[in-house]
Amino acid sequence: MTGINEVSHKKNTQQKGLLKGSPKAIPARALSKDTCKKFGYLIGNQNGEEVHIAIYRDKHGKPVSQKIRTKDKRFSTVGDHRASTLFGQHLWNGGGKSKLVITEGEIDALSVSEAQQNKWPVVSLPNGAASAARAIKDNWDYVNKFAEVILMFDMDNAGQTSALAVAELLPVGKAKVAYLPRKDASECLTQGKPSEIITAIFQAREFRPDGIKSAVDYRNVISVDETASAVSWPYSALNTMLLGMRKKELITLASGSGCGKTTFCKEVIHH
């Protein structure tokens, strides 16, 4: 099966003028060969220089472009990058109650996947945080297949600003913003802290437009008993349960005919 995949990849690259390469482990980034192979992240050669090659695909899953990364972090593209979808999008169908993690770049997407044994959906933006909103709009139907969209962008100002911009685009309640204790997911992985990535995913905060608050945020406030009213009920048990007769509360009496509702009300009036 591996041989077939490699032949197919070589055929595609020859047809489209894309660079050749092969998946390899990247120890400096704590990335395994399996993770790089799954996503189509290759090591190749361009003009005599070893480069990283990220394969991008169109909405039909066909390779259409590559993003090239040199050792000194110079980036370029080969092929029709305008037809590209999110990096890794072809691997996950979405739907149901599944979560989708979106990162800024390919290395961060690989790092998130590595941390969770390549089991759960993660993709990255094709052109970084600066064009995040445009990338989400271009892949709107795909992103909205997922029940939750977790934005795990870099922890710098540019990354967080872009994360909020994307969160505002998505339907209310769908977007969550993940917060990492380090610069990005790659740094968490390379420093031997993959658990920080997993924790950030499951503790991501739900994004809500300005002015909308969740009752959960006020649990400590609303659970505090209010001060008892100076106006009491004629029955000690009711005073314990209701803290007296308080303003802005409506008490409804319900029982069968002849059970004493009127008598009860008269007792309250008399008291």
Side-chain angles (χ1 to χ4, degrees):
M1 180 65 84
T2 300
I4 294 175
N5 289 337
E6 290 178 352
V7 170
S8 177
H9 170 64
K10 289 180 180 179
K11 183 178 180 181
N12 284 329
T13 57
Q14 290 171 353
Q15 290 176 341
K16 298 177 180 298
L18 305 180
L19 299 181
K20 299 179 182 179
S22 58
K24 297 180 180 179
I26 307 176
R29 294 286 186 170
L31 296 172
S32 66
K33 178 180 177 180
D34 287 343
T35 297
C36 293
K37 181 178 179 180
K38 182 179 182 68
F39 280 79
Y41 195 85
L42 314 175
I43 304 297
N45 186 284
Q46 184 182 50
N47 301 323
E49 179 182 12
E50 184 177 272
V51 293
H52 288 195
I53 304 169
I55 299 176
Y56 275 82
R57 300 170 183 266
D58 63 16
K59 294 184 178 181
H60 303 290
K62 296 181 180 180
V64 291
S65 72
Q66 295 171 331
K67 184 185 289 186
I68 313 302
R69 176 191 177 111
T70 65
K71 289 183 178 180
D72 56 355
K73 294 185 178 181
R74 287 181 288 111
F75 295 91
S76 61
T77 59
V78 176
D80 184 10
H81 204 58
R82 293 173 298 178
S84 299
T85 56
L86 302 171
F87 179 69
Q89 178 171 317
H90 66 291
L91 298 174
W92 325 100
N93 292 325
K97 297 181 179 180
S98 55
K99 303 175 187 288
L100 174 68
V101 178
I102 301 179
T103 67
E104 281 191 34
E106 301 88 5
I107 292 293
D108 286 326
L110 295 172
S111 298
V112 173
S113 194
E114 183 80 34
Q116 53 187 351
Q117 293 79 52
N118 300 321
K119 293 180 180 179
W120 310 111
V122 54
V123 298
S124 71
L125 304 170
N127 297 300
S131 59
R134 170 53 58 189
I136 298 304
K137 290 178 181 178
D138 289 344
N139 298 279
W140 182 261
D141 291 340
Y142 173 78
V143 172
N144 273 281
K145 288 181 180 179
F146 293 84
E148 295 181 17
V149 177
I150 299 171
L151 306 172
M152 188 177 285
F153 290 7
D154 290 1
M155 296 308 298
D156 55 19
N157 184 64
Q160 292 305 294
T161 299
S162 293
L164 294 178
V166 171
E168 290 179 347
L169 292 175
L170 297 171
V172 175
K174 183 180 289 285
K176 291 187 176 181
V177 179
Y179 295 92
L180 296 164
R182 303 171 199 275
K183 175 182 177 293
D184 52 32
S186 177
E187 189 169 295
C188 291
L189 187 66
T190 55
Q191 295 188 13
K193 301 292 184 180
S195 60
E196 293 178 346
I197 298 174
I198 304 302
T199 299
I201 291 174
F202 286 95
Q203 292 185 356
R205 303 174 191 171
E206 181 178 334
F207 172 80
R208 293 184 297 272
D210 290 341
I212 298 179
K213 303 294 182 181
S214 170
V216 175
D217 297 336
Y218 294 94
R219 185 182 300 277
N220 293 334
V221 176
I222 63 178
S223 63
V224 175
D225 289 339
E226 297 180 19
T227 304
S229 171
V231 181
S232 65
W233 295 93
Y235 309 105
S236 60
L238 279 181
N239 285 316
T240 299
M241 295 169 60
L242 303 177
L243 301 181
M245 300 183 196
R246 296 182 294 185
K247 293 181 178 180
K248 299 183 180 179
E249 288 187 350
L250 174 66
I251 305 298
T252 303
L253 302 177
S255 72
S257 178
C259 290
K261 294 186 296 296
T262 301
T263 301
F264 174 82
C265 288
K266 290 180 177 179
E267 288 289 338
V268 172
I269 295 170
H270 177 73
H271 175 72

